[in-house]
Amino acid sequence: VRASKMASHLISFGSVTMRSTGFAATASRPCRRFECVSSESREMLRHEAPTTRTFRAPCRTHQKGWGSTRRSGRIGRSVRKDTRSRFVSTASGAGTGTETPSSSDGESAWQAWVNMREGAPLVQCITNFVSMDIMANTLLASGASPAMVHSYDEVEAFVEITSALLINVGTLSGPWVSSMKLAILKANLLGKPWVFDPVGAGATPYRTQTCVDLLKMGPAVVRGNASEILALAGADAKTKGVDSVHASDDALEAARTIANEYSCVVAVSGAVDIVTDGTHVVRVSNGVKELTLITAAGCSVTALIAAFVATAPPGKALLSTAYALSIFGLAAEEALKESKGPGSLRVNLLDKLYTLDEETVSQCARISSSTAEEVR
């Protein structure tokens, strides 16, 4: 919590930019021996061999909707009219600039949101110190349950009761890497989805290699900024610590390459978020630039993606990722209307996640309709 507050102060004074995640100097105890690990997991961890996951790439067949839902109760508190125009992109990713309503995307996003809240998934977060507070509160405000469990002695057992696993390498250390790999192996063994946030990939050789090693273990979804995705793909990408110096479009081909090679969904955050499974590309235009002034905002949306993927129908990781990005961005848009700066925006963001209503989501979710319809 102290690390989160310190990072926020630094950002407010303009002395350090932490993007949406951050580093913090940490002291960790030595990694424990493998005595408490099952023989199968111990052997896999020793050789760091990637496993074949059963939770794989999204289905390409036409399947509209997310099943029956209840559209009343704890989610909607108030209804706000929003007559903003909607920007629709083409399937190839180039914006047409056409102001065309596409309520089906918003309605589908709302249904996915309702399903997630009613499912109340338990998300195990092995994440950095800076992000723990806001990430946990984001999940709680969204109706999910967070668990910040990273001890090597219990991660394997805890994965058994979780709905999804989140891996975030913000405050990286050797012992935590061992915990991450052990938890991932268990999630893969149980067929549970895990989502990967390669914070700061490209910043140092150790961090980049660690991120590549984790990527090889088979995440359901990878979410990062453009510089991080480029670094994962092997490009000589420049970074500013954990900040991106590239636009999301710059990393589109790198994202497609990663998605195809590792059979996962890749989300590239930016002014317009890009989500791809290697074949299809979905663009999400919700969000505000002021989110970059809130440390760990990006980490929090990755956790929300994990909650959406955990409760999505099989083969819907692509759209569930897009819906999570849209919902989070939309909540930020609504929160900014009542905020004076990053401090109040942070608080209002949590409130808006808690009170988003059906009409707001249905009218204002801005997702590239042509591609979304193609994969639905």
Side-chain angles (χ1 to χ4, degrees), residues 14-61:
S15 56
V16 176
T17 304
M18 302 285 289
R19 176 189 152 252
S20 42
T21 52
F23 295 111
T26 63
S28 303
R29 62 176 176 78
C31 182
R32 299 297 292 267
R33 298 190 303 273
F34 296 154
E35 294 172 357
C36 62
V37 187
S38 66
S39 59
E40 180 180 3
S41 295
R42 179 165 58 247
E43 187 65 22
M44 295 173 73
L45 182 59
R46 181 179 292 116
H47 293 89
E48 297 184 1
T51 58
T52 302
R53 302 182 73 259
T54 57
F55 195 94
R56 274 309 182 190
C59 176
R60 270 75 168 176
T61 57

Side-chain angles (χ1 to χ4, degrees), residues 13 27 57 73 94 110 116 130 139 241 249 264 266 283 296 322 331 335 341 353 373:
F13 285 116
W110 172 257
M116 189 278 291
V130 178
L139 288 172
D249 273 320
C264 63
V266 179
R283 289 171 175 262
L353 283 169
E373 181 66 29

Side-chain angles (χ1 to χ4, degrees), residues 271-330:
V272 176
D273 300 323
I274 295 174
V275 188
T276 182
D277 59 3
T279 301
H280 306 97
V281 176
V282 178
R283 289 171 175 262
V284 179
S285 301
N286 292 109
V288 295
K289 64 180 181 179
E290 287 79 5
L291 280 175
T292 61
L293 301 177
I294 302 176
T295 189
C299 300
S300 300
V301 76
T302 309
L304 188 60
I305 289 172
F308 267 73
V309 172
T311 53
K316 292 293 182 179
L318 177 67
L319 286 179
S320 60
T321 299
Y323 295 151
L325 289 166
S326 180
I327 290 287
F328 189 86
L330 179 54

Side-chain angles (χ1 to χ4, degrees), residues 169-210:
V169 299
T171 48
L172 194 58
S173 67
W176 278 40
V177 173
S178 297
S179 294
M180 291 172 183
K181 290 180 178 179
L182 187 61
I184 290 170
L185 290 173
K186 189 66 174 182
N188 287 341
L189 187 64
L190 298 175
K192 295 188 177 184
W194 65 278
V195 177
F196 180 37
D197 194 332
V199 180
T204 67
Y206 172 69
R207 180 172 293 271
T208 302
Q209 187 57 54
T210 298

Side-chain angles (χ1 to χ4, degrees), residues 327-346:
I327 290 287
F328 189 86
L330 179 54
E333 291 172 9
E334 295 295 306
L336 185 62
K337 298 175 183 178
E338 303 173 10
S339 302
K340 297 180 179 179
S344 53
L345 177 59
R346 186 182 192 273

Side-chain angles (χ1 to χ4, degrees), residues 339-359:
S339 302
K340 297 180 179 179
S344 53
L345 177 59
R346 186 182 192 273
V347 174
N348 291 333
L349 173 63
L350 297 175
D351 287 345
K352 294 303 178 181
L353 283 169
Y354 185 69
T355 59
L356 275 178
D357 59 80
E358 180 178 2
E359 185 168 347

Side-chain angles (χ1 to χ4, degrees), residues 195-198 215 219-224 229 232 258 264-268:
V195 177
F196 180 37
D197 194 332
L215 176 63
V221 180
V222 179
R223 189 217 65 89
I229 298 303
L232 279 184
I258 293 172
C264 63
V265 169
V266 179
V268 187

Side-chain angles (χ1 to χ4, degrees), residues 37-309:
V37 187
S38 66
S39 59
E40 180 180 3
S41 295
R42 179 165 58 247
E43 187 65 22
M44 295 173 73
L45 182 59
R46 181 179 292 116
H47 293 89
E48 297 184 1
T51 58
T52 302
R53 302 182 73 259
T54 57
F55 195 94
R56 274 309 182 190
C59 176
R60 270 75 168 176
T61 57
H62 180 81
Q63 182 180 347
K64 187 173 182 179
W66 288 71
S68 60
T69 61
R70 244 186 355 255
R71 300 198 176 189
S72 61
R74 60 183 179 177
I75 298 175
R77 292 295 191 278
S78 60
V79 177
R80 295 180 180 83
K81 286 278 187 178
D82 194 323
T83 57
R84 287 175 292 179
S85 61
R86 299 168 50 82
F87 182 86
V88 181
S89 301
T90 64
S92 63
T96 64
T98 304
E99 296 182 357
T100 306
S102 182
S103 60
S104 61
D105 293 330
E107 291 170 0
S108 296
W110 172 257
Q111 291 176 7
W113 178 240
V114 172
N115 287 352
M116 189 278 291
R117 294 194 67 126
E118 292 184 343
L122 174 61
V123 181
Q124 180 179 352
C125 305
I126 304 181
T127 188
N128 67 79
F129 292 119
V130 178
S131 71
M132 287 184 181
D133 175 73
I134 188 172
M135 182 182 291
N137 282 309
T138 294
L139 288 172
L140 286 171
S142 302
S145 297
M148 276 47 192
V149 178
H150 61 263
S151 170
Y152 188 88
D153 297 323
E154 67 172 341
V155 289
E156 188 178 34
F158 205 89
V159 170
E160 295 182 0
I161 64 173
T162 60
S163 306
L165 172 68
L166 168 70
I167 300 295
N168 177 302
V169 299
T171 48
L172 194 58
S173 67
W176 278 40
V177 173
S178 297
S179 294
M180 291 172 183
K181 290 180 178 179
L182 187 61
I184 290 170
L185 290 173
K186 189 66 174 182
N188 287 341
L189 187 64
L190 298 175
K192 295 188 177 184
W194 65 278
V195 177
F196 180 37
D197 194 332
V199 180
T204 67
Y206 172 69
R207 180 172 293 271
T208 302
Q209 187 57 54
T210 298
C211 289
V212 171
D213 292 342
L214 293 173
L215 176 63
K216 292 178 180 178
M217 299 183 75
V221 180
V222 179
R223 189 217 65 89
N225 63 38
S227 295
E228 290 162 349
I229 298 303
L230 285 166
L232 279 184
D236 186 17
K238 294 181 180 180
T239 66
K240 185 181 178 183
V242 296
D243 292 322
S244 178
V245 295
H246 298 85
S248 53
D249 273 320
D250 296 338
L252 176 55
E253 290 308 314
R256 280 174 165 162
T257 298
I258 293 172
N260 283 322
E261 183 172 354
Y262 298 102
S263 299
C264 63
V265 169
V266 179
V268 187
S269 295
V272 176
D273 300 323
I274 295 174
V275 188
T276 182
D277 59 3
T279 301
H280 306 97
V281 176
V282 178
R283 289 171 175 262
V284 179
S285 301
N286 292 109
V288 295
K289 64 180 181 179
E290 287 79 5
L291 280 175
T292 61
L293 301 177
I294 302 176
T295 189
C299 300
S300 300
V301 76
T302 309
L304 188 60
I305 289 172
F308 267 73
V309 172

